Amino acid sequence: KSEFKVEARSLFEIYLSDNKKSKYICANEIVIDRGKSARTMKADVYENNMLVNRYEGDGLIISTPTGSTAYSLSAGGPIVTPKVDSLIITPSAAHSLTSRPLVVPASSTIIINFSKTNDSIQFIADGQIHDSLDCTSEVRICKSDHVVNLIDFEDTDYFETLRKKMGWGKRGEQ
């Protein structure tokens, strides 16, 4: 007989300052990309009002630890355990070999501004919410006061689950 536990997972809020002034709450990740444009997207990313980098590439993935094993991981981002309260910024198809994923504290406020050369910017939250932005839009991301409670069984091992799902330690066909 297995007992369960309730595990609180962080959420983050996204504020879009555009013509609609939208607000979203996200559990896994947001994706900001070049949309239909054939050009790279250029975005300035700030953490607590300090410039982190000007990213140029297909886009950016900002994820919670819960979302770190999804799209962020496939774009080269790190696996971050849910107990590490953080945000992960992962460039997608960066136009620079030195653009690397970055993990910042969940208490950070991330602000993203865009170059005037961007003619199409797409915003996606948790793969469900789609919105179009333009070069004058600003994206602000911060930790939400809300959490999502997930049920987990006491005998569940996070790393064992990762080993099974990721095929860690397996060589060839078995």
Side-chain angles (χ1 to χ4, degrees):
K1 178 179 166 185
S2 194
E3 296 296 320
F4 70 90
K5 60 185 175 185
V6 176
E7 186 175 295
R9 299 277 180 101
S10 293
L11 301 172
F12 56 91
E13 295 179 0
I14 303 100
Y15 300 90
L16 304 178
S17 72
D18 56 6
N19 57 354
K20 299 177 284 283
K21 297 206 182 299
S22 307
K23 174 186 170 185
Y24 302 104
I25 294 181
C26 187
N28 293 306
E29 78 269 322
I30 65 165
V31 176
I32 302 167
D33 68 27
R34 61 192 177 120
K36 295 177 183 175
S37 177
R39 295 178 175 209
T40 58
M41 184 188 83
K42 294 177 185 162
D44 291 335
V45 176
Y46 296 83
E47 189 246 357
N48 297 332
N49 294 317
M50 295 183 65
L51 178 65
V52 173
N53 193 14
R54 168 169 274 186
Y55 291 95
E56 183 175 355
D58 283 357
L60 293 168
I61 304 159
I62 295 88
S63 67
T64 63
T66 302
S68 73
T69 55
Y71 188 22
S72 176
L73 179 65
S74 71
I79 295 172
V80 179
T81 66
K83 292 180 181 168
V84 177
D85 206 15
S86 59
L87 289 172
I88 301 101
I89 303 168
T90 305
S92 173
H95 196 59
S96 165
L97 294 176
T98 60
S99 268
R100 308 307 320 148
L102 178 65
V103 179
V104 297
S107 60
S108 299
T109 297
I110 304 296
I111 295 176
I112 303 171
N113 295 310
F114 304 97
S115 166
K116 297 202 182 327
T117 61
N118 293 316
D119 55 2
S120 172
I121 304 166
Q122 180 174 316
F123 169 86
I124 305 166
D126 280 342
Q128 303 296 312
I129 300 163
H130 298 255
D131 207 341
S132 295
L133 305 177
D134 64 36
C135 65
T136 64
S137 300
E138 179 178 275
V139 179
R140 185 166 50 94
I141 304 159
C142 58
K143 185 174 180 178
S144 176
D145 291 335
H146 304 285
V147 297
V148 63
N149 291 313
L150 301 178
I151 294 175
D152 202 0
F153 292 100
E154 290 284 349
D155 61 355
T156 301
D157 178 335
Y158 177 79
F159 294 105
E160 181 180 356
T161 302
L162 274 180
R163 285 191 304 274
K164 285 180 184 174
K165 287 186 175 184
M166 303 293 176
W168 287 356
K170 291 185 181 178
R171 297 180 67 186
E173 298 285 326
Q174 292 186 0

